[in-house]
Amino acid sequence: MTTAEHPDTGTVHTVAAGHPAAHATLGAALHAAAPGDEIRIAPGTYEEALRIDRDIVLRADGGTVTLAAPGGTTPALEVLPGARLTLDGLTVRGGAADRPAVLLSGGVTHWHGGGTDRGRLEVLREAALTMTGARLTGAALAGALIRTIGAVRLTDCVLEGAQGTGVVVGGDSRLELTGTRIKGATGSGVRVREDARIVLRDCLIDGAGRSGLLFEDRSAALLVDCRIRDCGGEAVRVLDSSPVPRDGDPYEAADGRIPAQADGGLLLYGCELTGAGADALHVAGAGDAVLDGCVLRDGGGAGATAVERARVRLADTRIVRTTAAALTAHGTARLEARGTTVRGSSANGVLATGSATVSLTDSEVTDCRFSALHAGGGAGLTLTRLRAGTTPEHGLHAVADSRLTLTEVHLTDCGMSGLDLSGAAAAEAAELSVVRCRNGVVASGGTVRLTGCTVTDAERAGLTFGGGDAELTGGRVLRAGTAGLVFQGGATVRAADVDITEAAGSGMVVAAGATPDVRAVRIVRPGKNGLIVDAKGAGSFEDCDITGPGFPAVHLGEAAAPALTRVRVQDAEADLSTEDGAAPTVRDCVSWKVEDAQWPAPFAPVPATAAAAASGAQSAGATAGDGTTTTVPPAEENLDDLLGELHELIGLERVKQDVASLVKLMRMVQRREAAGLAAPPLSRHLVFAGNPGTGKTTVARLYGRILAAVGLLEKGHLVEADRSALVGEYVGHTGPKTQRIFMEAMGGVLFIDEAYSLAPAHATGGNDFAQEAIATLVKLMEDHRDAVVVIVAGYPVEMEHFIDSNPGLASRFNRTLLFEDYGTQDLVQIVEQHASAHQYELTDAARDTLVGYFDHVPRDGRFGNGRSARQTFQAMTERQAYRVAENDAPSEADLRTLSELDVPELELPKQDLPPAELPDGPAGAQARPQPYPSGPGGPVQQA
């Protein structure tokens, strides 16, 4: 036998069967070896069972070396506590597939290459294992069993063909797999139980007969860039788990950093779950899962399911082609998603039942076979900046007692309704948009609140209200295929400030038994009646405008008894037609340019092309096609009165001076022309540069009226437009759309807000037709340079880029009016103005406190200048109402007075933490907010 000294590992022993200078067996070499020795093994199969109780190195000396158990249940290799074993290139074969081939009951083992080809690997108690490039095959029940408090790491390994579970991890184990493949297990690929923690990086779980990953008890996992595919059951199934830690919640992390370890819950980053026989992700019990940047596709069930008490959160995740609903939530589960895309579901895109809650933000749900989103039971859906549609059914369907909260939701191309509510389903929606659906919104029960809702190109009705309580505030219905608004029997509806344009049928239809309360609705060019009240219908209609109807503006069926107050009709064959027994109550209704008029004409003439009439001293607005708003000025206004009205505006001193200078210049031009002298070049088009809420629209409206008073414009009315009103959605749509808006403004002012969006600073081209809109606009300004004034408005820096984006713009817009932010005193004065208009009075202490409040309001991107002042006034009235409500018998003074107690608390940015949460030392002192001056009533509180 041969031994040799090795400087690093001690004595080197060789094993070669039949070689006189080597050990014949591994056992003999092991018996002769001292701690730290190396045993080099010649190729061959050695039927032995080794028990390692010291530090030793077993290394294959070229070729294949197999250590095979002689039979029975004894492992071929066992490592005992205290030992340190290095295996290099050895394959271990156990005596039976359902028994351990390798048993690590203690010590530390480093295994490179080789692996097992029958029997499982067991790592128990306090054993630690590092395995690299090994292949584990031929095991039954489990390919590997990990139940140890020692660290276990497998890198670039393959576990294949286990007749049972690929890897079972339990107890307090910590397992890390990197670049490892687990293939063809007949059970689950990996099963994690009890308090075990696993980390998988760049791993593949392929073809598991059941779940790819199965989690139970209080386990936790972190998966990064892993693939789980073609499993017979779920790709990932969570029956229970530990919770995701609240501190440093990875779902809320702004910097997107991936945790280094699994501290709680199930975290998946950049993973793909494909081809599952059931759900891609199924979370039950108290399971807690977070997916970020993942793909779930081509599954036989749902994409992600949360049931019982589970919580699932998705970020920047794609769910594609699912057999069941892509996202499902049942029981009391919570499911949240942001930046997530759902496409190609064979059922619903989102399904929520029971008492589950679902929240989707900045996400998309399209191409579903059933309704894109469905809520039933008592489920709650909160949807923010969501796009959904392209479905043969509803875009959003809510039944039973479900609850919806919608903000900036966009529903398109639905075969049924964009939004459909039935049963006792309740909804609150702000800035809801419904485009190209069979019906726009159908609400037949529950409580519904719609604010700023837009329905465009509905095949049938724009909005339909049945039973229940509904409130519609603001909004537009454009080109409805039948009626714009439908009120069915039993509906309690309050509608205000709604524009209905070019409905193919009637603007509003009221069925028998309905009693809507309608105010300030503007109906433009309906194909049939502006308002039709069926037999025995009723309701209240106040301050409404009907322009250009195809049939009589108002038609009342038999025994209909609505109340019509200040209804204005223009450009119609008839203003009112009635059937037998109709008994309307008519107050102050007027008509003009009506062939068969029952109502008198207004005292002041109104331009024939106007879409609405002036009401008293205040101009009225009307919505024209494609979302523009037309404001008609009173006729024959006095220039001095208009300039006085301009100078009564709060703040804006620089703007007032600029407008006054323009008026003087215009008068001088007129005098030169009257004297037969050549007029100097004069561009009346303007750029209004300023932040939101600085009065740009108000000044634009006055500017048009001033030009009309001077005689430079025929009418002086204002048409407001934005990008959506000018830019089309397909080739050939933009030019006519822009031209139509421009013609609406003939004789007046075309005011384009946020004009910079037509030429964004970082535009990438593609299918953006905004440049066509600009080119069309420039040509029209040249063709009609004396008939229309164009004002473009927006942020100062962005407007500079916009003007520079086209030479035609730069030559036509050579004068910019800068609207500076309001100062503190201006903001206080605006609050006082609102208070006076609403019969409130401010105390001196309230004024002083407002000064301190506005001095310290952050002037960031959320600051709205005059709009912020109005919101502050509204907040003060709400706080006053709560305060006065505690008084059982308030006096009139109590009801009118706004005190310093009603000034809202200043909301500080998150970085301005209270002193107790700031670090000590100069850094903390610098970050601490400083209190602002208080009024006589005491310091203003900080939130």
Side-chain angles (χ1 to χ4, degrees):
M1 66 190 71
T2 300
T3 61
E5 295 293 331
H6 193 280
D8 296 325
T9 61
T11 302
V12 177
H13 305 266
T14 59
V15 177
H19 196 290
H23 293 288
T25 66
L26 289 170
L30 185 62
H31 180 74
D37 285 355
E38 176 182 332
I39 299 175
R40 294 184 179 176
I41 309 165
T45 299
Y46 298 85
E47 293 190 0
E48 303 180 52
L50 301 183
R51 301 180 82 238
I52 309 299
D53 59 0
R54 72 199 81 167
D55 294 357
I56 205 76
V57 177
L58 299 179
R59 177 169 288 123
D61 193 9
T64 301
V65 175
T66 301
L67 175 63
T73 61
T74 303
L77 177 64
E78 182 178 359
V79 179
L80 302 177
R84 188 178 187 89
L85 172 64
T86 298
L87 294 173
D88 189 354
L90 267 69
T91 298
V92 181
R93 181 183 302 153
D98 61 351
R99 296 290 181 174
V102 177
L103 175 60
L104 308 182
S105 57
V108 177
T109 300
H110 297 279
W111 195 335
H112 310 283
T116 63
D117 69 0
R118 183 169 63 204
R120 64 179 171 271
L121 167 67
E122 291 191 3
V123 187
L124 308 177
R125 302 183 183 92
E126 300 180 1
L129 169 66
T130 300
M131 179 178 278
T132 305
R135 188 179 190 89
L136 308 178
T137 63
L141 301 181
L145 172 62
I146 314 297
R147 191 179 181 85
T148 179
I149 61 173
V152 180
R153 296 182 177 87
L154 276 64
T155 303
D156 298 329
C157 294
V158 176
L159 288 82
E160 189 170 17
Q163 298 300 304
T165 305
V167 179
V168 178
V169 189
D172 294 310
S173 299
R174 300 294 185 267
L175 170 64
E176 183 172 335
L177 304 180
T178 302
T180 292
R181 293 176 292 166
I182 301 172
K183 303 172 63 176
T186 60
S188 298
V190 178
R191 182 180 182 185
V192 189
R193 305 180 58 189
E194 299 164 323
D195 293 292
R197 303 286 190 266
I198 67 168
V199 176
L200 278 67
R201 302 180 189 276
D202 192 25
C203 292
L204 168 66
I205 299 176
D206 188 7
R210 295 185 180 175
S211 302
L213 284 172
L214 174 62
F215 293 88
E216 301 172 85
D217 306 320
R218 301 162 302 281
S219 56
L222 168 65
L223 279 73
V224 181
D225 297 330
C226 294
R227 292 170 295 154
I228 304 174
R229 67 189 186 194
D230 300 334
C231 300
E234 301 88 351
V236 178
R237 185 180 185 188
V238 183
L239 299 179
D240 261 316
S241 77
S242 58
V244 172
R246 291 192 176 183
D247 295 337
D249 188 336
Y251 182 78
E252 303 297 339
D255 55 11
R257 289 183 297 178
I258 298 174
Q261 58 189 6
D263 291 325
L266 173 64
L267 311 179
L268 278 73
Y269 293 87
C271 296
E272 293 186 10
L273 313 181
T274 62
D279 297 347
L281 172 68
H282 186 96
V283 185
D288 194 349
V290 172
L291 280 69
D292 193 336
C294 296
V295 176
L296 288 62
R297 59 179 172 85
D298 299 319
T305 294
V307 300
E308 299 171 348
R309 308 177 309 282
R311 184 180 188 188
V312 174
R313 287 163 287 177
L314 312 172
D316 300 323
T317 291
R318 290 188 296 125
I319 305 174
V320 184
R321 294 186 298 274
T322 58
T323 301
L327 295 173
T328 64
H330 309 296
T332 58
R334 292 174 295 165
L335 191 152
E336 304 164 47
R338 58 176 170 80
T340 292
T341 300
V342 171
R343 288 182 180 170
S345 169
S346 295
N348 300 112
V350 177
L351 173 63
T353 63
S355 299
T357 58
V358 175
S359 173
L360 273 67
T361 303
D362 296 320
S363 297
E364 182 179 5
V365 181
T366 59
D367 298 311
C368 302
R369 187 170 297 177
F370 298 167
S371 297
L373 300 98
H374 179 92
L381 264 62
T382 300
L383 311 176
T384 305
R385 294 183 299 279
L386 173 78
R387 301 181 68 86
T390 315
T391 169
E393 295 193 357
H394 303 293
L396 175 52
H397 190 205
V399 301
D401 295 302
S402 56
R403 308 168 316 281
L404 308 180
T405 302
L406 315 178
T407 305
E408 295 182 35
V409 171
H410 190 62
L411 305 172
T412 62
D413 300 301
C414 304
M416 295 182 179
S417 301
L419 171 62
D420 189 274
L421 306 168
S422 61
E428 290 195 11
E431 305 301 325
L432 171 68
S433 173
V434 182
V435 180
R436 295 186 302 275
C437 298
R438 183 171 176 82
N439 296 292
V441 176
V442 177
S444 56
T447 301
V448 182
R449 301 286 182 267
L450 303 178
T451 304
C453 173
T454 300
V455 178
T456 306
D457 295 325
E459 182 180 338
R460 301 184 68 179
L463 297 102
T464 302
F465 297 98
D469 180 72
E471 185 172 312
L472 176 64
T473 305
R476 297 177 293 173
V477 180
L478 306 178
R479 298 180 296 276
T482 56
L485 280 176
V486 176
F487 306 104
Q488 297 176 339
T492 301
V493 183
R494 294 168 299 283
D497 194 24
V498 179
D499 299 315
I500 303 171
T501 303
E502 296 179 351
S506 298
M508 290 188 289
V509 176
V510 182
T515 57
D517 181 357
V518 178
R519 300 172 185 270
V521 170
R522 295 165 291 277
I523 302 171
V524 179
R525 296 184 295 277
K528 297 183 179 179
N529 305 107
L531 166 64
I532 181 169
V533 182
D534 286 344
K536 300 182 180 179
S540 173
F541 304 88
E542 184 175 332
D543 291 317
C544 295
D545 295 275
I546 302 173
T547 301
F551 291 8
V554 178
H555 178 78
L556 307 180
E558 183 179 354
L564 307 175
T565 304
R566 292 186 301 281
V567 175
R568 295 173 289 272
V569 177
Q570 176 184 354
D571 295 330
E573 292 183 4
D575 49 15
L576 178 66
S577 65
T578 61
E579 297 182 16
D580 293 343
T585 301
V586 179
R587 297 186 182 91
D588 301 326
C589 295
V590 296
S591 301
W592 62 96
K593 293 188 70 63
V594 174
E595 295 181 11
D596 181 9
Q598 298 189 34
W599 299 337
F603 292 109
V606 177
T609 59
S615 176
Q618 186 177 12
S619 61
T623 296
D626 294 321
T628 60
T629 299
T630 303
T631 302
V632 183
E636 299 180 2
E637 295 186 288
N638 180 274
L639 178 61
D640 292 335
D641 290 342
L642 291 173
L643 292 176
E645 187 175 339
L646 173 68
H647 285 283
E648 286 176 3
L649 296 177
I650 296 172
L652 305 177
E653 297 306 324
R654 182 172 175 179
V655 171
K656 295 173 185 176
Q657 293 174 7
D658 290 341
V659 172
S661 298
L662 281 171
V663 171
K664 292 178 181 178
L665 179 60
M666 293 172 191
R667 283 177 157 174
M668 182 273 293
V669 169
Q670 287 179 314
R671 292 191 184 104
R672 286 181 61 87
E673 290 177 335
L677 300 174
L682 173 64
S683 175
R684 297 172 296 174
H685 309 302
L686 299 176
V687 177
F688 282 8
N691 291 322
T694 49
K696 296 186 292 294
T697 306
T698 300
V699 173
R701 188 176 293 111
L702 269 171
Y703 184 62
R705 294 162 62 191
I706 289 171
L707 292 181
V710 172
L712 293 178
L713 283 178
E714 180 183 354
K715 303 166 186 174
H717 67 289
L718 183 77
V719 175
E720 297 180 57
D722 55 16
R723 176 189 169 96
S724 66
L726 302 172
V727 180
E729 299 177 357
Y730 49 83
V731 175
H733 188 204
T734 296
K737 193 173 184 180
T738 302
Q739 187 172 12
R740 184 166 60 252
I741 301 307
F742 192 91
M743 292 306 171
E744 292 273 353
M746 290 294 289
V749 174
L750 175 59
F751 180 78
I752 305 175
D753 199 10
E754 298 181 353
Y756 53 81
S757 64
L758 296 172
H762 303 290
T764 57
N767 293 327
D768 189 347
F769 304 116
Q771 289 301 319
E772 181 184 351
I774 293 176
T776 303
L777 189 64
V778 169
K779 184 178 185 304
L780 290 168
M781 291 169 67
E782 178 63 26
D783 294 343
H784 305 279
R785 55 181 175 270
D786 295 328
V788 175
V789 168
V790 179
I791 299 176
V792 291
Y795 294 105
V797 175
E798 285 82 349
M799 291 307 298
E800 288 182 14
H801 171 80
F802 169 70
I803 297 302
D804 293 341
S805 68
N806 186 294
L809 295 176
S811 64
R812 286 164 177 80
F813 293 99
N814 53 22
R815 185 182 296 272
T816 298
L817 271 61
L818 181 62
F819 287 71
E820 298 176 341
D821 288 344
Y822 288 115
T824 294
Q825 293 299 331
D826 294 332
L827 295 169
V828 173
Q829 192 174 350
I830 292 172
V831 173
E832 288 189 279
Q833 188 180 69
H834 284 292
S836 176
H838 292 83
Q839 296 183 306
Y840 286 94
E841 297 176 356
L842 272 67
T843 65
D844 291 339
R847 293 186 188 90
D848 293 339
T849 305
L850 275 172
V851 169
Y853 175 82
F854 285 124
D855 275 344
H856 290 78
V857 167
R859 304 298 174 98
D860 53 18
R862 296 178 297 174
F863 180 68
N865 283 289
R867 191 177 303 117
S868 293
R870 185 184 71 247
Q871 292 168 347
T872 300
F873 165 70
Q874 292 172 344
M876 292 178 68
T877 61
E878 292 173 4
R879 293 168 67 94
Q880 187 247 28
Y882 282 114
R883 178 171 57 80
V884 174
E886 298 178 0
N887 188 346
D888 293 334
S891 64
E892 181 179 348
D894 293 331
L895 297 173
R896 294 174 60 96
T897 302
L898 296 175
S899 75
E900 72 277 8
L901 300 176
D902 303 319
V903 177
E905 299 169 356
L906 182 61
E907 296 182 2
L908 296 177
K910 291 184 178 179
Q911 61 265 28
D912 293 339
L913 298 174
E917 300 182 27
L918 291 169
D920 294 331
Q926 186 176 5
R928 290 187 179 92
Q930 301 300 316
Y932 53 80
S934 61
V940 179
Q941 297 179 355
Q942 296 177 346

